[in-house]
mmCIF file of all heavy atoms in Angstrom:
data_model
loop_
_atom_site.group_PDB
_atom_site.id
_atom_site.type_symbol
_atom_site.label_atom_id
_atom_site.label_comp_id
_atom_site.label_asym_id
_atom_site.label_seq_id
_atom_site.Cartn_x
_atom_site.Cartn_y
_atom_site.Cartn_z
ATOM 1 N N PRO A 61 24.092 -19.064 -39.322
ATOM 2 C CA PRO A 61 25.115 -19.742 -40.115
ATOM 3 C C PRO A 61 24.910 -19.432 -41.593
ATOM 4 O O PRO A 61 23.829 -19.037 -42.019
ATOM 5 C CB PRO A 61 24.853 -21.224 -39.824
ATOM 6 C CG PRO A 61 23.431 -21.283 -39.426
ATOM 7 C CD PRO A 61 23.125 -19.965 -38.754
ATOM 8 N N GLU A 62 25.939 -19.624 -42.374
ATOM 9 C CA GLU A 62 25.846 -19.328 -43.802
ATOM 10 C C GLU A 62 24.921 -20.320 -44.478
ATOM 11 O O GLU A 62 24.970 -21.520 -44.215
ATOM 12 C CB GLU A 62 27.230 -19.393 -44.445
ATOM 13 C CG GLU A 62 28.144 -18.289 -43.979
ATOM 14 C CD GLU A 62 29.461 -18.317 -44.717
ATOM 15 O OE1 GLU A 62 29.502 -18.845 -45.844
ATOM 16 O OE2 GLU A 62 30.428 -17.836 -44.155
ATOM 17 N N LYS A 63 24.088 -19.803 -45.354
ATOM 18 C CA LYS A 63 23.152 -20.653 -46.084
ATOM 19 C C LYS A 63 23.837 -21.189 -47.328
ATOM 20 O O LYS A 63 24.700 -20.545 -47.914
ATOM 21 C CB LYS A 63 21.909 -19.864 -46.481
ATOM 22 C CG LYS A 63 21.092 -19.414 -45.298
ATOM 23 C CD LYS A 63 19.878 -18.666 -45.784
ATOM 24 C CE LYS A 63 19.031 -18.210 -44.622
ATOM 25 N NZ LYS A 63 17.853 -17.493 -45.068
ATOM 26 N N LYS A 64 23.419 -22.377 -47.735
ATOM 27 C CA LYS A 64 23.938 -22.946 -48.960
ATOM 28 C C LYS A 64 23.315 -22.208 -50.141
ATOM 29 O O LYS A 64 22.128 -21.914 -50.151
ATOM 30 C CB LYS A 64 23.582 -24.427 -49.059
ATOM 31 C CG LYS A 64 24.219 -25.265 -47.986
ATOM 32 C CD LYS A 64 23.805 -26.704 -48.144
ATOM 33 C CE LYS A 64 24.372 -27.567 -47.058
ATOM 34 N NZ LYS A 64 23.911 -28.949 -47.162
ATOM 35 N N LYS A 65 24.132 -21.927 -51.123
ATOM 36 C CA LYS A 65 23.619 -21.252 -52.309
ATOM 37 C C LYS A 65 22.969 -22.284 -53.212
ATOM 38 O O LYS A 65 23.534 -23.335 -53.497
ATOM 39 C CB LYS A 65 24.746 -20.540 -53.045
ATOM 40 C CG LYS A 65 25.299 -19.377 -52.262
ATOM 41 C CD LYS A 65 26.309 -18.631 -53.077
ATOM 42 C CE LYS A 65 26.833 -17.443 -52.289
ATOM 43 N NZ LYS A 65 27.811 -16.685 -53.056
ATOM 44 N N THR A 66 21.761 -21.958 -53.655
ATOM 45 C CA THR A 66 21.045 -22.863 -54.549
ATOM 46 C C THR A 66 21.255 -22.421 -55.987
ATOM 47 O O THR A 66 21.406 -21.239 -56.276
ATOM 48 C CB THR A 66 19.543 -22.873 -54.226
ATOM 49 O OG1 THR A 66 19.056 -21.534 -54.350
ATOM 50 C CG2 THR A 66 19.292 -23.396 -52.826
ATOM 51 N N LYS A 67 21.247 -23.382 -56.881
ATOM 52 C CA LYS A 67 21.406 -23.082 -58.293
ATOM 53 C C LYS A 67 20.077 -22.582 -58.852
ATOM 54 O O LYS A 67 19.012 -23.004 -58.427
ATOM 55 C CB LYS A 67 21.857 -24.321 -59.056
ATOM 56 C CG LYS A 67 23.243 -24.765 -58.689
ATOM 57 C CD LYS A 67 23.651 -25.956 -59.526
ATOM 58 C CE LYS A 67 25.051 -26.396 -59.177
ATOM 59 N NZ LYS A 67 25.472 -27.563 -59.953
ATOM 60 N N PHE A 68 20.175 -21.737 -59.815
ATOM 61 C CA PHE A 68 19.002 -21.190 -60.473
ATOM 62 C C PHE A 68 18.495 -22.217 -61.478
ATOM 63 O O PHE A 68 19.219 -22.619 -62.384
ATOM 64 C CB PHE A 68 19.360 -19.870 -61.172
ATOM 65 C CG PHE A 68 18.203 -19.200 -61.806
ATOM 66 C CD1 PHE A 68 17.234 -18.605 -61.037
ATOM 67 C CD2 PHE A 68 18.075 -19.176 -63.182
ATOM 68 C CE1 PHE A 68 16.163 -17.962 -61.620
ATOM 69 C CE2 PHE A 68 17.005 -18.548 -63.772
ATOM 70 C CZ PHE A 68 16.047 -17.942 -62.987
ATOM 71 N N ASN A 69 17.255 -22.656 -61.309
ATOM 72 C CA ASN A 69 16.686 -23.682 -62.162
ATOM 73 C C ASN A 69 15.614 -23.043 -63.046
ATOM 74 O O ASN A 69 14.551 -22.655 -62.569
ATOM 75 C CB ASN A 69 16.087 -24.804 -61.307
ATOM 76 C CG ASN A 69 15.746 -26.014 -62.126
ATOM 77 O OD1 ASN A 69 15.734 -25.961 -63.356
ATOM 78 N ND2 ASN A 69 15.473 -27.101 -61.442
ATOM 79 N N VAL A 70 15.897 -22.952 -64.347
ATOM 80 C CA VAL A 70 14.987 -22.297 -65.281
ATOM 81 C C VAL A 70 13.722 -23.126 -65.484
ATOM 82 O O VAL A 70 12.611 -22.575 -65.555
ATOM 83 C CB VAL A 70 15.694 -22.039 -66.631
ATOM 84 C CG1 VAL A 70 14.734 -21.442 -67.640
ATOM 85 C CG2 VAL A 70 16.889 -21.142 -66.438
ATOM 86 N N ARG A 71 13.854 -24.428 -65.540
ATOM 87 C CA ARG A 71 12.674 -25.283 -65.759
ATOM 88 C C ARG A 71 11.678 -25.162 -64.614
ATOM 89 O O ARG A 71 10.468 -25.111 -64.833
ATOM 90 C CB ARG A 71 13.103 -26.743 -65.923
ATOM 91 C CG ARG A 71 13.771 -27.004 -67.231
ATOM 92 C CD ARG A 71 14.071 -28.463 -67.409
ATOM 93 N NE ARG A 71 14.760 -28.646 -68.672
ATOM 94 C CZ ARG A 71 15.584 -29.614 -68.929
ATOM 95 N NH1 ARG A 71 15.837 -30.532 -68.008
ATOM 96 N NH2 ARG A 71 16.173 -29.712 -70.098
ATOM 97 N N LYS A 72 12.207 -25.125 -63.397
ATOM 98 C CA LYS A 72 11.313 -24.998 -62.239
ATOM 99 C C LYS A 72 10.627 -23.632 -62.239
ATOM 100 O O LYS A 72 9.451 -23.521 -61.898
ATOM 101 C CB LYS A 72 12.126 -25.194 -60.966
ATOM 102 C CG LYS A 72 11.316 -25.587 -59.778
ATOM 103 C CD LYS A 72 12.209 -26.044 -58.655
ATOM 104 C CE LYS A 72 11.368 -26.742 -57.632
ATOM 105 N NZ LYS A 72 12.144 -27.243 -56.522
ATOM 106 N N LEU A 73 11.360 -22.609 -62.641
ATOM 107 C CA LEU A 73 10.782 -21.273 -62.713
ATOM 108 C C LEU A 73 9.693 -21.203 -63.784
ATOM 109 O O LEU A 73 8.636 -20.613 -63.562
ATOM 110 C CB LEU A 73 11.872 -20.248 -62.996
ATOM 111 C CG LEU A 73 11.434 -18.796 -63.017
ATOM 112 C CD1 LEU A 73 10.964 -18.367 -61.636
ATOM 113 C CD2 LEU A 73 12.554 -17.916 -63.502
ATOM 114 N N LEU A 74 9.928 -21.797 -64.935
ATOM 115 C CA LEU A 74 8.914 -21.808 -65.997
ATOM 116 C C LEU A 74 7.678 -22.603 -65.584
ATOM 117 O O LEU A 74 6.550 -22.221 -65.907
ATOM 118 C CB LEU A 74 9.508 -22.380 -67.280
ATOM 119 C CG LEU A 74 10.508 -21.471 -68.002
ATOM 120 C CD1 LEU A 74 11.112 -22.189 -69.195
ATOM 121 C CD2 LEU A 74 9.859 -20.175 -68.418
ATOM 122 N N LYS A 75 7.895 -23.702 -64.868
ATOM 123 C CA LYS A 75 6.758 -24.492 -64.379
ATOM 124 C C LYS A 75 5.922 -23.660 -63.398
ATOM 125 O O LYS A 75 4.691 -23.665 -63.466
ATOM 126 C CB LYS A 75 7.259 -25.760 -63.698
ATOM 127 C CG LYS A 75 6.156 -26.641 -63.185
ATOM 128 C CD LYS A 75 6.708 -27.872 -62.505
ATOM 129 C CE LYS A 75 5.566 -28.699 -61.930
ATOM 130 N NZ LYS A 75 6.059 -29.804 -61.118
ATOM 131 N N THR A 76 6.601 -22.928 -62.523
ATOM 132 C CA THR A 76 5.897 -22.084 -61.564
ATOM 133 C C THR A 76 5.141 -20.964 -62.281
ATOM 134 O O THR A 76 4.014 -20.638 -61.915
ATOM 135 C CB THR A 76 6.897 -21.481 -60.560
ATOM 136 O OG1 THR A 76 7.656 -22.529 -59.974
ATOM 137 C CG2 THR A 76 6.181 -20.712 -59.468
ATOM 138 N N LEU A 77 5.741 -20.396 -63.298
ATOM 139 C CA LEU A 77 5.077 -19.346 -64.064
ATOM 140 C C LEU A 77 3.835 -19.877 -64.777
ATOM 141 O O LEU A 77 2.786 -19.230 -64.781
ATOM 142 C CB LEU A 77 6.049 -18.737 -65.080
ATOM 143 C CG LEU A 77 5.515 -17.577 -65.909
ATOM 144 C CD1 LEU A 77 5.130 -16.412 -65.020
ATOM 145 C CD2 LEU A 77 6.529 -17.155 -66.941
ATOM 146 N N ASN A 78 3.917 -21.067 -65.355
ATOM 147 C CA ASN A 78 2.750 -21.674 -66.005
ATOM 148 C C ASN A 78 1.645 -21.976 -64.998
ATOM 149 O O ASN A 78 0.461 -21.762 -65.287
ATOM 150 C CB ASN A 78 3.154 -22.948 -66.745
ATOM 151 C CG ASN A 78 3.927 -22.636 -68.002
ATOM 152 O OD1 ASN A 78 3.778 -21.580 -68.582
ATOM 153 N ND2 ASN A 78 4.775 -23.568 -68.417
ATOM 154 N N LEU A 79 2.026 -22.442 -63.811
ATOM 155 C CA LEU A 79 1.022 -22.697 -62.768
ATOM 156 C C LEU A 79 0.377 -21.388 -62.304
ATOM 157 O O LEU A 79 -0.817 -21.353 -62.004
ATOM 158 C CB LEU A 79 1.653 -23.430 -61.592
ATOM 159 C CG LEU A 79 2.005 -24.893 -61.835
ATOM 160 C CD1 LEU A 79 2.774 -25.455 -60.660
ATOM 161 C CD2 LEU A 79 0.748 -25.708 -62.088
ATOM 162 N N PHE A 80 1.168 -20.318 -62.260
ATOM 163 C CA PHE A 80 0.612 -19.014 -61.893
ATOM 164 C C PHE A 80 -0.414 -18.561 -62.920
ATOM 165 O O PHE A 80 -1.473 -18.036 -62.570
ATOM 166 C CB PHE A 80 1.728 -17.985 -61.756
ATOM 167 C CG PHE A 80 1.226 -16.588 -61.583
ATOM 168 C CD1 PHE A 80 0.655 -16.187 -60.386
ATOM 169 C CD2 PHE A 80 1.319 -15.667 -62.617
ATOM 170 C CE1 PHE A 80 0.178 -14.904 -60.211
ATOM 171 C CE2 PHE A 80 0.846 -14.377 -62.461
ATOM 172 C CZ PHE A 80 0.278 -14.000 -61.253
ATOM 173 N N LEU A 81 -0.094 -18.745 -64.202
ATOM 174 C CA LEU A 81 -1.031 -18.337 -65.248
ATOM 175 C C LEU A 81 -2.317 -19.156 -65.202
ATOM 176 O O LEU A 81 -3.396 -18.638 -65.506
ATOM 177 C CB LEU A 81 -0.365 -18.451 -66.618
ATOM 178 C CG LEU A 81 0.769 -17.450 -66.867
ATOM 179 C CD1 LEU A 81 1.428 -17.727 -68.201
ATOM 180 C CD2 LEU A 81 0.273 -16.031 -66.781
#
Side-chain angles (χ1 to χ4, degrees):
E62 292 185 24
K63 294 181 180 180
K64 296 179 182 177
K65 292 185 179 181
T66 58
K67 293 183 179 179
F68 183 71
N69 192 348
V70 176
R71 287 185 182 153
K72 201 168 194 179
L73 184 65
L74 288 175
K75 181 181 177 187
T76 306
L77 183 61
N78 287 334
L79 288 173
F80 171 73
L81 292 175

